[in-house]
Amino acid sequence: MASLLTTPAQREQPEEHETWRNRAPAVLTLERYMQDQTDPENPNPSPKFHTGRLPNNRSGDGKPRLSGKSSISSVVFHKMPPAETLFLESTARIQKDAVHSFMDFQVWDFPGQLDFLDPAFDVDNIFGEIGALIWVIDAQDEYLDALVRLNNTILLLQQHYPSINIEVFIHKVDALSEDYKFDIQRDIVQRTQDELSDAGYENAPVSFHLTSIYDHSIFEAFSKVIQKLIPQLPTLEGLLNILCSNSGMEKAYIFDCISKIYIATDSSPVDMQSYEICSDYIDVIVDVSEIYGWDRPGRVVEEDECNDQEAESVIRLQNGMILYLKEINKYLVLICIMKEESIKKKGLIDYNCGVFQDALAQVFGLQRS
Amino acid sequence: MDIVEKKGKKKKVLLMGKSGSGKSSMRSIVFSNYVAKDTRRLGATIDVEHSHVKFLGNLTLNLWDCGGQDAFMENYLQHQRDHVFSNVAVLIYVFDIESREFDRDLVTYSAVARALSENSAGARIFCLIHKMDLVQAEYRQKLFEERSSLLKERSEGFDIVVFATSIWDETLYKAWANIIYTLIPNLSIIETYLRRFAEIIEAEEVVLFERTTFLVVCHVSQQGLGNPNDDRFERISNIIKTFKQSLSRFTSSPKSAPQFTEIELRAPRFSLFIDRLTSNTYILVVVKPGESDLNTAKMNVKIAREDFERLDVTGDGKKLARTRDSSSRAELEAGDDDTGREAEY
């Protein structure tokens, strides 16, 4: 289980809710920073402290270690296979990447060697309109220097822009053993919290996620980040709860089908397995639709035959569970997990999903095509 | 390993090639539901690993995965020559595209082909040029053609078929589906039957998959509908197999378990479902969009199941006359059920 730290309780802190509500959705910009190199002039500083170094760490082979920010955005937002990120060049300037989905947001990819604490740097211009800052730490490298920079950044943000969510991705954990992974997480959390409470900040909006591009954890972490930026999240959760309880479903997710980020789920606990299966389910549907969804010329479409334009799918599993997928609009799909008994009342599910779809359209102020 | 038992139904398949060329990886992906990246864990094959794979039409594949180190190869070609190369139905010879000594590989290959021609002249040879993913996309075709013409020269008179494969994409399934296609004894009967079935239910496409491997057994498409994706069958094999892996993690059931009983998808331009057909096969049916087309097709599959089962297990085509009746009966029932569609028939 990856990011245990972003507990729902944390999400439901009332004062945080207030800040999301007060912020207009248009200024939701997502940024991330890197801290691989403390000193751009000297790419391989000898470590001042000794910690977090793996016995087989091959540092000093002349190539600076990169924490993996561009790989993350390529995998999550551009569907690049994780193996191909090896060939990505190091980022030299700020890359702005607009993502158009149910909610438009921008991802700014910051080069790691950029020192934004420099007084010459236009801080207001950058931090003035962002919603979340993602800080990527390479868990396979020594991270003490990175933590110092992280803490400086958090303190700066806390002073001037307290509404920005700070999300720390403890990245590249795929190669680490379970125990070691959680040790590192505990260590990083401890050091950051200590620093913050020394400076007098008790409830800073800082969350930590264990991530890797080689499994679903990066998508899950991004899901959590995006969810905090959705002002309508409590409403969506409420709607999903109602849908689940009235249709006999065990779990329901709303996914963004391009990035496979889930933007909301009902309030029953999220387990990694159900998230993974739903995300793989989307892959199957997208791939199969690509194969058979070509434009058939000369096909006469009977009006009454295809009144619904949204795709719908059911998978019956050997163990009696049912996976149900319904396209909600261009960007979103609803995926539900339920028992066999529930699907027998297919009419009820269809109706409830229709109601849900309308409600969602109202929430987002979208027009159903 | 006695090949004489249950003669005719048990086909001996030799899997050969240089050590490290990827024979066992391929076998574990196709027959044991491994994911591509899990094959890194496999060690070298020592001597010969035998496995039996039950297939449809009462066909059992007797797969000989032959370790490819030089010492073993020498042994097969000299001391065990009769034992290894007799009664072979198919030889699958795997070449590593990255091999530095292709000339030497060719020499070994010719020796194997010669041994085969002496002991089982009726065998077929398939050559797989493997690990194609390591070659840049634009050079693949050229390299493949070059290598296959060289191979054809050195095949000791065998009429060989060459495929370019990689475990990282669907080309693997394409090659294996083609190999299996030549081995199924009553395939022509199954194919005629499937074609008639597709006509009756007015399907755009009907595809039959083997259950454990999810390889395409045969497929029938409606005339005049040009699906632009020629590689769609192996792509579906790949998609479904990958999804089965995820399902087995989700339900924590063994990888070899069937995992799902039915997949259904209703999209604006088509409807599709995948369902168990017989104990050894899954059927995929693509029909026009709309509730009634889909449900009629589903019902027909249920009714035809029994007859396909007979065809599958006993490989017996004699009951064809009766099945035709039952199919048209199925259509009638479906028509009654759905009055809105009657005018169309």
Side-chain angles (χ1 to χ4, degrees), chain A residues 174-192:
Chain A
D174 48 290
L176 308 181
S177 73
E178 287 292 307
D179 290 348
Y180 194 77
K181 206 150 80 177
F182 290 115
D183 277 351
I184 287 190
Q185 188 182 19
R186 208 172 306 125
D187 189 43
I188 291 180
V189 172
Q190 191 61 46
R191 284 168 192 271
T192 318

Side-chain angles (χ1 to χ4, degrees), chain B residues 95 102 106 109 127-129 146-156 160 162:
Chain B
F95 290 91
F102 185 64
L106 271 181
Y109 168 67
C127 290
L128 307 186
I129 301 183
E146 220 173 86
R147 291 276 158 103
S148 39
S149 67
L150 273 172
L151 285 175
K152 279 178 182 145
E153 283 169 23
R154 306 290 292 266
S155 298
E156 304 287 323
I160 64 162
V162 191

Side-chain angles (χ1 to χ4, degrees), chain A residues 214 216 271 273-278 280-285 287-297 299-302 305-306 308-319 321 323-325 327 337 340 346 350, chain B residues 37 204-205 207 225-229 231-233 235-236 239-240 242-243 246-251 257-270 272 276 282 284 286-293 298 341 344:
Chain A
Y214 292 97
H216 292 80
D271 60 322
Q273 282 99 358
S274 70
Y275 168 72
E276 281 176 16
I277 199 71
C278 292
D280 291 340
Y281 190 6
I282 295 178
D283 278 343
V284 171
I285 298 302
D287 291 348
V288 171
S289 305
E290 199 184 297
I291 294 176
Y292 283 109
W294 89 99
D295 189 18
R296 292 146 171 91
R299 156 85 62 78
V300 189
V301 183
E302 293 138 60
E305 285 271 320
C306 36
D308 34 78
Q309 282 300 300
E310 285 95 15
E312 188 185 1
S313 164
V314 177
I315 296 187
R316 287 163 208 274
L317 303 188
Q318 193 70 23
N319 63 0
M321 299 297 281
L323 299 174
Y324 174 79
L325 174 145
E327 200 179 342
I337 300 173
E340 208 163 11
K346 186 72 201 327
D350 284 346
Chain B
K37 69 173 183 220
E204 280 186 5
E205 192 149 82
V207 190
L225 264 177
N227 189 327
N229 305 295
D231 54 355
R232 58 188 181 277
F233 306 115
R235 263 163 73 187
I236 288 176
I239 293 167
I240 300 293
T242 321
F243 188 56
S246 328
L247 282 175
S248 95
R249 276 198 302 275
F250 176 60
T251 59
Q259 310 299 353
F260 67 88
T261 51
E262 192 187 6
I263 294 180
E264 179 192 312
L265 170 61
R266 266 172 282 165
R269 282 179 175 158
F270 67 96
L272 159 156
R276 284 289 284 281
Y282 277 97
L284 173 143
V286 184
V287 290
K288 284 187 295 196
E291 198 86 14
S292 47
D293 278 276
K298 272 187 175 175
R341 299 263 305 150
E344 260 186 59

Side-chain angles (χ1 to χ4, degrees), chain B residues 179-190:
Chain B
I179 294 168
I180 297 303
Y181 190 88
T182 59
L183 287 171
I184 296 169
N186 57 344
L187 198 75
S188 58
I189 305 170
I190 297 181

Side-chain angles (χ1 to χ4, degrees), chain B residues 91-300:
Chain B
L91 164 72
I92 302 169
Y93 205 95
V94 183
F95 290 91
D96 183 349
I97 190 76
E98 279 222 307
S99 169
R100 301 243 167 90
E101 24 190 31
F102 185 64
D103 291 337
R104 234 186 102 211
D105 299 348
L106 271 181
V107 173
T108 327
Y109 168 67
S110 317
V112 168
R114 199 172 312 119
L116 194 68
S117 68
E118 286 163 16
N119 289 291
S120 10
R124 287 167 200 265
I125 301 184
F126 292 90
C127 290
L128 307 186
I129 301 183
H130 198 44
K131 307 194 189 175
M132 266 317 211
D133 53 298
L134 296 173
V135 182
Q136 277 173 296
E138 56 264 41
Y139 298 118
R140 277 179 204 165
Q141 188 59 30
K142 189 167 163 271
L143 198 61
F144 170 70
E145 276 162 15
E146 220 173 86
R147 291 276 158 103
S148 39
S149 67
L150 273 172
L151 285 175
K152 279 178 182 145
E153 283 169 23
R154 306 290 292 266
S155 298
E156 304 287 323
F158 278 103
D159 195 12
I160 64 162
V161 184
V162 191
F163 292 102
T165 54
S166 155
I167 56 169
W168 299 98
D169 59 31
E170 66 275 356
T171 50
L172 180 70
Y173 296 100
K174 182 184 182 179
W176 278 89
N178 273 291
I179 294 168
I180 297 303
Y181 190 88
T182 59
L183 287 171
I184 296 169
N186 57 344
L187 198 75
S188 58
I189 305 170
I190 297 181
E191 205 163 342
T192 7
Y193 191 73
L194 201 67
R195 185 170 301 281
R196 197 173 303 155
F197 181 72
E199 277 164 18
I200 290 171
I201 62 172
E202 297 183 333
E204 280 186 5
E205 192 149 82
V206 179
V207 190
L208 212 58
F209 293 95
E210 203 277 329
R211 186 180 72 95
T212 39
T213 57
F214 237 89
L215 290 173
V216 181
V217 175
C218 67
H219 54 86
V220 176
S221 314
Q222 208 178 78
Q223 293 285 311
L225 264 177
N227 189 327
N229 305 295
D230 289 330
D231 54 355
R232 58 188 181 277
F233 306 115
E234 50 267 22
R235 263 163 73 187
I236 288 176
S237 297
N238 200 359
I239 293 167
I240 300 293
K241 277 201 92 154
T242 321
F243 188 56
K244 276 176 81 177
Q245 305 283 342
S246 328
L247 282 175
S248 95
R249 276 198 302 275
F250 176 60
T251 59
S252 34
S253 53
K255 280 178 179 170
S256 54
Q259 310 299 353
F260 67 88
T261 51
E262 192 187 6
I263 294 180
E264 179 192 312
L265 170 61
R266 266 172 282 165
R269 282 179 175 158
F270 67 96
S271 298
L272 159 156
F273 67 93
I274 302 176
D275 196 359
R276 284 289 284 281
L277 185 64
T278 65
S279 45
N280 287 321
T281 52
Y282 277 97
I283 190 167
L284 173 143
V285 179
V286 184
V287 290
K288 284 187 295 196
E291 198 86 14
S292 47
D293 278 276
L294 183 70
N295 289 339
T296 332
K298 272 187 175 175
M299 195 181 298
N300 278 308

